[in-house]
Amino acid sequence: MNLNFYRNLIKQNLSKYIKPGDIIYIESDLTSFRKIFLLSKSKNNFLNFFFNIFSELVGKKGTIILPSFSYSWGDNEKKKIFDLNNSKSKTGILSEFLMKKKNVYRSLDPMFSCLIIGNKKKFLEVKNNTFGPNSIFEKLHKNNAKLVSFGLKRFDPTFVHYVEQYFDTNLKKINYRYLKKIIGIISINNKKYKDTFFTFLRNRKINKSYFEKRIKKDLIKSKKLKTLTVCDSKIYIVDSKNFFKIGIKGMKKNINYFAK
């Protein structure tokens, strides 16, 4: 088996659910694709292999978004400086690799920045609230982007925090997350300025973490979650509007729907 075999295998499986012109939000763990890495002969070839597949699937009119979270203003960071071009992504080797490519744009979020390849204008114009109004995650919802979990060990889309914040703001307060105001420094092309951001963070005083089983079960039951196994790795695909709708419905019945 060679790279073309795996390329065609992955593309054939994904093409059933990802179409030209789609907006896809990808969260990935490529470590499980060891066979492809060995055949690729280099790290760059390996990463280009997957990026090219996704690019071909959505086509020229599609948009690819993936996390490049730096957590630059986190509690563990003393200086709290987010450098748009240089702050390292802590969400996998694919985002770190793509940051160096042309026509890849990074959103201005000191905690949960994202990379955009495609319709940059629509997704780059965001406010200072990670999961709130006019955020990338609200735009993913309104444009019904497809949430793609690629090779991860569990179904854990970051989009869940957008659902939780929406519920917390518009329906009922939850106790395991809260909206935190953070002040820090933004650096763009060596120009620095002080700014404020709001991020919906986990309440460390309450011992609760994300729980996937309820949302996963309900999405499968309603036939909204596409589950694939390719190269012994799990791939999950769901429309963001379906995730939001079922997530809100679940939280109305059980406010700890997403937590345990």
Side-chain angles (χ1 to χ4, degrees):
M1 295 180 185
N2 55 28
L3 278 178
N4 282 333
F5 169 83
Y6 287 110
R7 176 188 176 86
N8 293 334
L9 177 66
I10 295 171
K11 192 173 178 181
Q12 183 179 10
N13 277 275
L14 292 180
S15 65
K16 298 172 185 175
Y17 311 108
I18 299 175
K19 306 296 181 182
D22 276 350
I23 299 166
I24 59 174
Y25 177 79
I26 307 166
E27 293 180 289
S28 65
D29 180 357
L30 303 181
T31 58
S32 57
F33 296 93
R34 180 173 172 76
K35 291 179 182 178
I36 296 173
F37 178 76
L38 293 173
L39 288 168
S40 299
K41 297 181 180 180
S42 77
K43 182 179 175 181
N44 282 2
N45 288 341
F46 176 66
L47 297 171
N48 269 318
F49 173 88
F50 289 100
F51 176 63
N52 290 337
I53 287 175
F54 286 116
S55 297
E56 290 169 13
L57 284 167
V58 301
K60 292 182 179 180
K61 294 184 178 180
T63 301
I64 298 172
I65 300 173
L66 65 160
S68 59
F69 307 160
S70 67
Y71 311 115
S72 296
W73 290 6
D75 290 339
N76 296 329
E77 301 294 333
K78 292 182 179 180
K79 294 184 178 181
K80 288 184 171 48
I81 298 175
F82 174 62
D83 189 316
L84 182 65
N85 300 313
N86 298 307
S87 288
K88 288 187 176 182
S89 167
K90 296 180 180 177
T91 45
I93 57 174
L94 184 58
S95 58
E96 191 69 18
F97 169 72
L98 291 177
M99 279 174 61
K100 301 168 186 175
K101 278 185 170 286
K102 291 183 179 179
N103 301 317
V104 176
Y105 303 90
R106 193 180 197 182
S107 66
L108 197 60
D109 188 316
M111 295 289 283
F112 293 86
S113 64
C114 292
L115 301 182
I116 298 103
I117 302 105
N119 196 334
K120 63 172 183 175
K121 185 176 181 181
K122 180 184 290 185
F123 290 97
L124 277 181
E125 295 175 356
V126 296
K127 300 297 183 182
N128 66 335
N129 192 321
T130 299
F131 302 108
N134 293 307
S135 65
I136 274 190
F137 292 93
E138 184 186 66
K139 291 172 186 287
L140 290 175
H141 178 211
K142 288 186 173 180
N143 289 278
N144 200 23
K146 291 176 178 175
L147 309 177
V148 181
S149 176
F150 194 83
L152 297 173
K153 291 179 175 61
R154 66 173 183 165
F155 180 58
D156 185 12
T158 306
F159 185 81
V160 68
H161 304 319
Y162 164 74
V163 181
E164 291 171 320
Q165 181 169 328
Y166 181 93
F167 189 91
D168 181 85
T169 303
N170 298 286
L171 297 169
K172 188 177 180 181
K173 292 293 179 183
I174 62 178
N175 64 3
Y176 60 89
R177 298 191 82 87
Y178 71 105
L179 191 64
K180 182 173 182 178
K181 178 181 178 181
I182 313 173
I183 298 172
I185 302 297
I186 299 286
S187 177
I188 305 175
N189 298 325
N190 294 320
K191 294 182 179 179
K192 297 180 180 180
Y193 63 92
K194 195 174 184 178
D195 206 353
T196 302
F197 229 86
F198 295 87
T199 303
F200 204 54
L201 298 178
R202 183 166 64 90
N203 186 346
R204 297 183 185 276
K205 295 179 182 178
I206 296 176
N207 188 26
K208 287 183 181 177
S209 57
Y210 172 71
F211 186 62
E212 69 170 330
K213 288 188 177 180
R214 297 185 189 102
I215 183 66
K216 194 174 175 182
K217 179 183 176 181
D218 289 344
L219 285 169
I220 291 172
K221 185 178 179 180
S222 60
K223 298 181 180 180
K224 302 301 183 184
L225 182 65
K226 311 302 179 186
T227 306
L228 314 171
T229 301
V230 181
C231 302
D232 299 321
S233 298
K234 287 287 185 183
I235 301 170
Y236 298 101
I237 304 172
V238 60
D239 290 349
S240 55
K241 285 189 175 181
N242 287 329
F243 188 99
F244 179 86
K245 182 179 179 180
I246 291 175
I248 292 293
K249 184 179 179 181
M251 290 188 76
K252 285 180 178 178
K253 292 180 180 178
N254 176 5
I255 202 165
N256 293 312
Y257 183 73
F258 288 115
K260 68 172 182 178

